[in-house]
Amino acid sequence: MELQIQNLKKEYGTKQALKGVSATLTEGIYGLLGPNGAGKSTMMNILTGNLRQSAGDVLLDGTDIRTLDSAYFARLGYMPQQQTYYPTFTVEQFLYYIGSLRGMKRQKVKKRIDWALELLSLSDVRKKQLRALSGGMRQRILLAQAILADPDILILDEPTAGLDPEQRIAVRNLIAEIALHKIVLISTHVVSDVELIARELLLLSDGRLLCQSAPKELMAQLSNCVWEVCVPEHEIRKLHHLGQISGIAKAEDGAVVRLLAKEKPPYSCTEARPTLEDVYLYHFGRQEGL
Amino acid sequence: MRYEWKKLGRGILVLLLAAVVANAWLFYRHCTAPVDGARYTLLQVQEKMSWSVQALQEETERLEARISSADPLEILSDKSLLTGDVYDERRLNQAVLARKEFSYREHIKGVLSDAEFRISSGLFGEQTGFAVRSMERTKAIYAPLVNLPVQPVFCAGAETLTDWTLSDIFFLMFGFLPPLVLLTQERRNGLTSLLRPTKKGRGSLYLRKYAVAVSSVLAGFVLIYGGDLLISGMLFGGCDLSQPIQAVYGFDGCPIPLTILGYFLLFSLVKLLWGLTIATIIFSLCAMVSRISTVFLCVLGAGLLAVGMSLSANLWLRAFSLVSLADTPLLLRQCLFVDFFDHPVRQLPVSVCFCGTTTLICFAMGLFAFCRVPAVVSVAERQKLSFSFLHRHTSLFLHEGAKLWLSQGGLLLAAVFLTVQVISYQNYGKPNSAWDHYYQQYAQTLSGQPNSSKDAFLAAERAQFADIHSQIAQIYAAAGDDVGTAQLAAEKLQAKLNPEEAFEAAAAQYEALQAGQSFVYRSGYERLFGVFGRTEALLDTIKLLVFLVLTLSGLFAIEQERGMEIILTTSGARKKVRKRKLLHCGLITLLGFLLAVLPQLLAVIQNYGLPNMDALANSLPVFSAFPKGWAILGALILCGAIRLALSGLSSAVITFLSYRLGNKVLTTLTATVSLVIPHMILLLIQYSYTRI
């Protein structure tokens, strides 16, 4: 299974949201990273059929998804970022409704609902109205509806937003578990969510794809660029001129500053192991005003 | 407050602007259309008011001479006349003469002497009773007005502007729409929980919202009545505002010594207070209730209650009815009292006090609800065990049905509609007059196609009546001048003539039949398609439209409001969902149509009957326009089909609005303005014609 994005462009009047994005996704988890306004939502909306591209193609196994139409949607699961639901529906009713939207048989839906609710620890609330649930529960229900039909392609927009750390880990593991034979594209700002599970990351900036690489490769690119600098507190501001500060911790004789810089800073410092947050900051920090 | 105004959005402002334009157009038509029941316009009255009494009398004499010399059925048109018709011109002259020759002094003297006579006659109870006291009060009020220098003046502004009730409906829109958006829609969008925890988010926010409602009422007053005044001024010009209002036609009964300018100011104050009271009631309702359909139903219920109160014989109920208070000129034209422990109290101050008190109470209740009632309503964790099996299916049709009928209250609204219809038609009037009784008897005999035996029956009946008439004539001739004895002697014969009027009607109907046509008992058909039937049908249509607006406004809007459009698209079932929604829309329309049409039809069938449905439709006067070959049943089906098609069209408009606007509140408002209000205006016009 292969999802090819070819020279995808999208224009809103004179503004170009996507300026020719090309990528190839095969089975596995992909993280889509980028600052606000980079074009992530536009790209996801095109992939989910909620928006038409101005130019370019999206091909599933060589066939344009516009040609495939319902055959494509039958293989697609989508979890939107905004909490979309019918407030008066019960959890069970909502999932049965999604099953009917996907044209599933009643018995299959029943089995899948039991499975999804069990997996997401929602069995206790299956008969509660959606408006009576907490934000975190609704978030998990949206994930449940996305995986209900066992889709081949799963597109998740900020799937862990609003979840507590325990739920976040559980959801992350769940995604990793169900994604073995699927294409999973996760858009997120929480880089730790994809750090451990993503096969590749797509870094999107200003409507362009900066790179598509494995997290380890991206982190390797930053070797000799991440430093932990020990400085007195009044010297911290001077470090801004040397590179990007990704963290500050208090130390006995001042502060330990984590600094991204191509050259070794002229202070007492040690080289640190790059993380995916460093990668994010390295590529997008300036754009986000950091 | 500026931000609250901005929240109203362009859509609401466009609706309000449309209301101003529609009012201006209707008011212009009102000013230029013939005066109620006559065939001359107010512009022509104005023209003739400049003539001297002598000139008017001379022309009237000339016109009467022409009329008396002409054939009674001849149409006497004359382009040189203002109305272009001799008969209409004579009526116009007579009306203008009545205005010019009116003596206010004599009128007031008449009122005072009438009151004096009633007091002294002793027919109205004790001297300390309400009736006598109110007449004494009337005397006391009108006595100082005898010497008021009143010379008849033509003031079209006072006649047309303050008497035009449709402007009140448009004016009310300015008080109705802002609270729905600022309170109901904000709550639906979950913004209340965001705004209320801010520093100025409770009392102060409520005040700002209320200030918008008040300023909207003020703006509405200026735009609606100011527009009317402008049109009136452009058409008729100004008048001397320093003259007493009693000098204006129709205002001779005004018990307050006011100038025309003073009248306009008082009218404005009372009308503004009335508008403000209604706006405050709606505002407080929106602060307490979150569902738009509940707000609408409460407003409708309150409206019906106010109509009932306005029709009551009890003056207190009428004084407290906001529908009665809408007729502000009536409050100022007449001197009405309410009975306060046998003491007559003027209705105007009572009504003004009632409006003021209601405004304050509703304002306080709304403030309390907004500040104290939790913004986030705790949701009862209902375990839908008993009904949960209903949702365990994958039928998209049933899921869409659940959304429309259960979640959005379609079933509940249908039950309310059914209840309203059952109450409306449970005491449907039966044909109980003697005429109906005799006509029904003749109709049984004459029913069907004409034949010789029926001809013979009619001839025999006619001969019998002629015989009775001649016997009565003989009795009177024999009695000579002793009329009393003759009446007594002819009493029994006279009673035999009771069916004659019904016989003549039945005979005329029978004799007017053409080849192929049949005699049909027509009372039921006339009840269904006559003036009263049409008014009832219009009222039913309004109920149907309210039902459709409240049920279908959220049909497509709910997905857009809840962001579910995205999931529908990604599941590839958008078209399927749309189809099923439209199918349910059709079912709702059909149910609504049946609820609107069947009660009236069944009531007519039960009380009058609709016989001979296989007869030719044009046998009946109400279906005379139908071509030959159409049976009555076919005509009934066609009428029903047209009404069903119009109901379908209305549903299509609401559905389209729901789809395009994507907002239930805005859809409800737009659909109400574009569908319900025009029908209400039609109903008001129809009522006024029925009155004439």
Side-chain angles (χ1 to χ4, degrees):
Chain A
M1 186 169 51
E2 187 180 71
L3 189 69
Q4 276 183 294
I5 300 163
Q6 294 181 339
N7 199 25
L8 206 58
K9 289 180 184 171
K10 179 66 191 174
E11 287 156 12
Y12 298 106
T14 53
K15 188 190 177 332
Q16 276 191 301
L18 290 179
K19 299 170 181 170
V21 174
S22 297
T24 301
L25 314 179
T26 54
E27 286 164 13
I29 299 172
Y30 296 84
L32 183 61
L33 297 179
N36 292 328
K40 297 192 301 292
S41 296
T42 304
M43 189 169 147
M44 290 202 131
N45 279 327
I46 292 170
L47 291 178
T48 53
N50 282 301
L51 203 61
R52 289 247 162 187
Q53 63 264 45
S54 307
D57 298 304
V58 180
L59 310 175
L60 178 64
D61 295 330
T63 312
D64 195 314
I65 59 168
R66 286 171 294 190
T67 313
L68 288 170
D69 196 33
S70 57
Y72 170 69
F73 291 124
R75 297 174 70 182
L76 178 73
Y78 177 48
M79 177 188 177
Q81 185 182 1
Q82 65 190 104
Q83 292 207 337
T84 57
Y85 61 95
Y86 296 105
T88 54
F89 275 28
T90 61
V91 171
E92 196 176 51
Q93 188 183 0
F94 181 67
L95 292 175
Y96 267 105
Y97 176 64
I98 296 295
S100 67
L101 286 176
R102 297 202 162 273
M104 295 165 73
K105 297 278 179 222
R106 189 174 166 276
Q107 281 308 315
K108 190 182 174 189
V109 175
K110 188 181 177 311
K111 278 182 190 166
R112 293 292 295 180
I113 287 174
D114 292 342
W115 169 78
L117 293 181
E118 184 66 37
L119 208 61
L120 290 158
S121 310
L122 289 166
S123 299
D124 293 344
V125 295
R126 64 188 301 153
K127 287 185 173 59
K128 281 188 182 175
Q129 285 187 334
L130 287 169
R131 62 179 170 177
L133 301 183
S134 68
M137 282 181 178
R138 282 190 211 138
Q139 191 74 359
R140 281 183 278 158
I141 284 156
L142 283 178
L143 181 58
Q145 66 81 27
I147 61 175
L148 189 73
D150 196 16
D152 293 331
I153 303 158
L154 197 56
I155 296 178
L156 310 172
D157 200 350
E158 298 284 354
T160 56
L163 300 183
D164 60 36
E166 194 185 335
Q167 290 169 349
R168 188 180 287 257
I169 293 163
V171 165
R172 195 171 65 198
N173 293 341
L174 168 74
I175 294 168
E177 190 184 322
I178 61 174
L180 289 174
H181 302 290
K182 300 180 195 301
I183 296 171
V184 181
L185 181 63
I186 305 171
S187 166
T188 182
H189 282 102
V190 188
V191 287
S192 60
D193 280 352
V194 286
E195 188 170 7
L196 296 171
I197 59 171
R199 186 176 130 192
E200 283 185 343
L201 296 178
L202 283 77
L203 303 187
L204 204 61
S205 172
D206 193 26
R208 288 195 176 87
L209 188 66
L210 293 182
C211 61
Q212 179 181 355
S213 303
K216 279 183 184 170
E217 284 174 28
L218 287 168
M219 288 187 278
Q221 285 169 12
L222 288 188
S223 57
N224 299 321
C225 289
V226 185
W227 311 94
E228 281 184 351
V229 189
C230 292
V231 286
E233 278 183 39
H234 63 274
E235 296 267 324
I236 293 173
R237 298 215 60 84
K238 289 181 184 173
L239 293 177
H240 281 288
H241 301 292
L242 301 173
Q244 288 173 280
I245 294 172
S246 71
I248 301 171
K250 192 167 170 52
E252 279 180 12
D253 50 348
V256 178
V257 178
R258 193 176 171 89
L259 187 73
L260 271 85
K262 285 183 179 170
E263 290 177 9
K264 188 180 177 188
Y267 292 95
S268 153
C269 62
T270 55
E271 193 184 336
R273 191 167 162 255
T275 65
L276 213 49
E277 261 186 26
D278 296 323
V279 173
Y280 187 92
L281 199 61
Y282 179 78
H283 286 284
F284 308 123
R286 296 286 179 207
Q287 287 177 44
E288 303 235 22
L290 301 170
Chain B
M1 196 171 92
R2 201 172 68 234
Y3 289 111
E4 298 299 322
W5 264 110
K6 280 187 178 175
K7 282 181 198 172
L8 287 182
R10 208 178 294 164
I12 295 295
L13 295 179
V14 167
L15 280 181
L16 294 177
L17 194 65
V20 173
V21 174
N23 173 67
W25 180 69
L26 287 166
F27 183 71
Y28 175 80
R29 281 178 60 88
H30 167 64
C31 288
T32 51
V35 181
D36 286 352
R39 289 175 67 184
Y40 51 81
T41 65
L42 216 51
L43 281 164
Q44 289 162 345
V45 172
Q46 185 185 27
E47 173 79 30
K48 284 278 165 105
M49 281 296 281
S50 61
W51 289 27
S52 67
V53 171
Q54 195 187 348
L56 281 166
Q57 282 171 339
E58 281 171 9
E59 197 196 50
T60 310
E61 281 167 17
R62 274 200 304 277
L63 295 170
E64 276 171 355
R66 278 185 71 180
I67 290 166
S68 59
S69 62
D71 188 290
L73 295 174
E74 190 184 348
I75 297 167
L76 296 173
S77 56
D78 185 342
K79 291 276 163 61
S80 66
L81 297 172
L82 270 179
T83 56
D85 182 276
V86 173
Y87 290 101
D88 293 339
E89 195 74 9
R90 183 180 62 167
R91 267 187 234 121
L92 171 63
N93 283 356
Q94 285 167 343
V96 174
L97 272 170
R99 282 175 178 234
K100 289 184 87 84
E101 289 175 338
F102 175 74
S103 165
Y104 179 72
R105 197 182 165 84
E106 292 305 315
H107 171 69
I108 293 296
K109 276 184 178 173
V111 171
L112 293 174
S113 64
D114 185 50
E116 183 60 49
F117 169 74
R118 288 181 189 207
I119 295 166
S120 57
S121 70
L123 292 170
F124 292 87
E126 296 169 19
Q127 291 294 312
T128 53
F130 170 72
V132 173
R133 278 181 171 163
S134 63
M135 278 178 275
E136 281 170 351
R137 189 83 203 280
T138 304
K139 264 180 69 188
I141 287 169
Y142 281 108
L145 300 178
V146 173
N147 296 320
L148 209 63
V150 173
Q151 286 299 316
V153 291
F154 181 79
C155 180
E159 284 188 37
T160 55
L161 187 153
T162 61
D163 214 10
W164 176 235
T165 47
L166 286 189
S167 286
D168 296 341
I169 293 178
F170 291 110
F171 174 44
L172 281 185
M173 281 173 63
F174 283 81
F176 189 60
L177 300 189
L180 278 176
V181 176
L182 295 178
L183 293 164
T184 311
Q185 187 169 303
E186 210 160 75
R187 189 177 289 200
R188 276 176 69 82
N189 293 344
L191 287 166
T192 323
S193 53
L194 172 76
L195 298 172
R196 284 194 1 183
T198 55
K199 188 186 173 190
K200 293 183 175 176
R202 283 185 183 243
S204 177
L205 184 62
Y206 180 83
L207 284 178
R208 270 180 249 165
K209 287 178 187 294
Y210 186 68
V212 170
V214 172
S215 52
S216 170
V217 169
L218 284 171
F221 182 80
V222 171
L223 289 169
I224 295 289
Y225 297 102
D228 291 353
L229 192 65
L230 191 70
I231 291 167
S232 172
M234 283 165 69
L235 281 170
F236 301 102
C239 67
D240 184 3
L241 296 175
S242 60
Q243 289 284 323
I245 185 66
Q246 285 81 357
V248 178
Y249 179 68
F251 287 86
D252 46 85
C254 179
I256 312 166
L258 283 170
T259 60
I260 297 175
L261 179 66
Y263 166 76
F264 276 124
L265 290 174
L266 189 60
F267 167 83
S268 303
L269 284 174
V270 175
K271 190 62 91 179
L272 260 176
L273 183 63
W274 173 77
L276 200 61
T277 305
I278 293 180
T280 311
I281 291 171
I282 293 166
F283 196 85
S284 63
L285 196 63
C286 291
M288 290 182 259
V289 178
S290 58
R291 284 176 76 107
I292 187 167
S293 49
T294 314
V295 174
F296 261 76
L297 288 177
C298 288
V299 169
L300 278 177
L304 288 173
L305 182 70
V307 169
M309 285 164 71
S310 73
L311 297 173
S312 164
N314 187 319
L315 273 173
W316 277 105
L317 287 179
R318 267 157 56 188
F320 290 164
S321 162
L322 287 168
V323 170
S324 299
L325 298 182
D327 197 354
T328 313
L330 191 73
L331 287 176
L332 301 171
R333 272 179 183 166
Q334 297 177 352
C335 188
L336 295 170
F337 299 109
V338 288
D339 184 353
F340 185 71
F341 298 109
D342 283 344
H343 287 277
V345 182
R346 290 272 297 279
Q347 192 184 335
L348 180 64
V350 168
S351 299
V352 167
C353 285
F354 168 72
C355 281
T357 316
T358 308
T359 306
L360 286 175
I361 292 172
C362 288
F363 173 80
M365 280 167 65
L367 182 65
F368 177 81
F370 191 80
C371 296
R372 292 295 180 91
V373 177
V376 180
V377 182
S378 61
V379 181
E381 295 180 358
R382 277 178 278 178
Q383 299 282 326
K384 290 192 168 182
L385 284 171
S386 51
F387 298 112
S388 61
F389 67 92
L390 286 174
H391 309 308
R392 291 180 193 154
H393 58 80
T394 52
S395 163
L396 203 48
F397 178 78
L398 292 179
H399 276 299
E400 290 305 327
K403 272 195 247 172
L404 194 61
W405 295 92
L406 300 175
S407 300
Q408 296 190 58
L411 210 57
L412 188 68
L413 286 166
V416 171
F417 190 11
L418 177 68
T419 312
V420 168
Q421 288 295 75
V422 167
I423 293 168
S424 303
Y425 285 97
Q426 65 180 354
N427 294 320
Y428 202 71
K430 285 192 174 194
N432 53 10
S433 70
W435 188 94
D436 283 316
H437 172 72
Y438 291 123
Y439 173 72
Q440 205 166 3
Q441 284 185 342
Y442 283 117
Q444 276 173 4
T445 312
L446 298 173
S447 177
Q449 293 207 338
N451 57 34
S452 53
S453 67
K454 288 174 190 171
D455 294 343
F457 169 76
L458 284 180
E461 282 289 299
R462 192 164 276 140
Q464 196 182 333
F465 285 124
D467 185 42
I468 295 168
H469 275 294
S470 73
Q471 285 180 45
I472 292 170
Q474 281 171 11
I475 290 169
Y476 274 93
D481 292 338
D482 193 359
V483 181
T485 313
Q487 276 178 343
L488 212 62
E491 201 174 334
K492 280 188 178 172
L493 287 170
Q494 203 74 44
K496 287 183 181 174
L497 287 176
N498 285 346
E500 192 183 14
E501 206 179 322
F503 167 76
E504 289 300 339
Q509 187 185 342
Y510 180 85
E511 284 155 4
L513 294 176
Q514 292 172 2
Q517 293 182 338
S518 306
F519 186 96
V520 179
Y521 172 64
R522 66 186 192 202
S523 295
Y525 296 101
E526 280 176 354
R527 189 71 181 79
L528 206 54
F529 294 99
V531 177
F532 288 108
R534 285 204 302 273
T535 308
E536 277 168 1
L538 192 55
L539 195 61
D540 287 339
T541 306
I542 291 172
K543 290 177 206 162
L544 168 66
L545 287 172
V546 170
F547 168 70
L548 291 177
V549 167
L550 293 180
T551 317
L552 298 175
S553 287
L555 187 68
F556 284 103
I558 188 168
E559 266 77 25
Q560 292 179 50
E561 281 183 343
R562 292 286 161 192
M564 281 299 293
E565 282 272 286
I566 294 170
I567 288 180
L568 295 187
T569 308
T570 49
S571 63
R574 203 170 158 162
K575 281 183 188 168
K576 284 185 206 164
V577 169
R578 203 179 296 165
K579 272 183 196 167
R580 278 144 185 91
K581 276 183 187 292
L582 291 177
L583 208 56
H584 279 288
C585 172
L587 287 175
I588 286 264
T589 309
L590 188 65
L591 176 71
F593 168 77
L594 293 174
L595 287 174
V597 170
L598 279 184
Q600 190 197 16
L601 189 68
L602 292 175
V604 169
I605 290 173
Q606 195 180 354
N607 292 295
Y608 292 83
L610 296 175
N612 303 73
M613 284 206 193
D614 53 340
L616 281 182
N618 56 17
S619 306
L620 287 164
V622 287
F623 290 146
S624 57
F626 271 86
K628 214 171 178 183
W630 275 82
I632 292 175
L633 183 64
L636 286 175
I637 291 171
L638 182 70
C639 291
I642 290 170
R643 282 184 75 180
L644 180 61
L646 290 174
S647 308
L649 191 66
S650 304
S651 296
V653 169
I654 300 164
T655 307
F656 175 75
L657 287 172
S658 177
Y659 184 72
R660 294 295 298 176
L661 299 174
N663 179 312
K664 189 175 177 181
V665 175
L666 204 54
T667 306
T668 309
L669 293 178
T670 314
T672 304
V673 171
S674 54
L675 294 171
V676 181
I677 288 183
H679 280 82
M680 285 173 76
I681 291 170
L682 263 178
L683 185 70
L684 279 175
I685 293 169
Q686 198 147 316
Y687 266 135
S688 62
Y689 277 121
T690 314
R691 267 213 313 266
I692 291 164

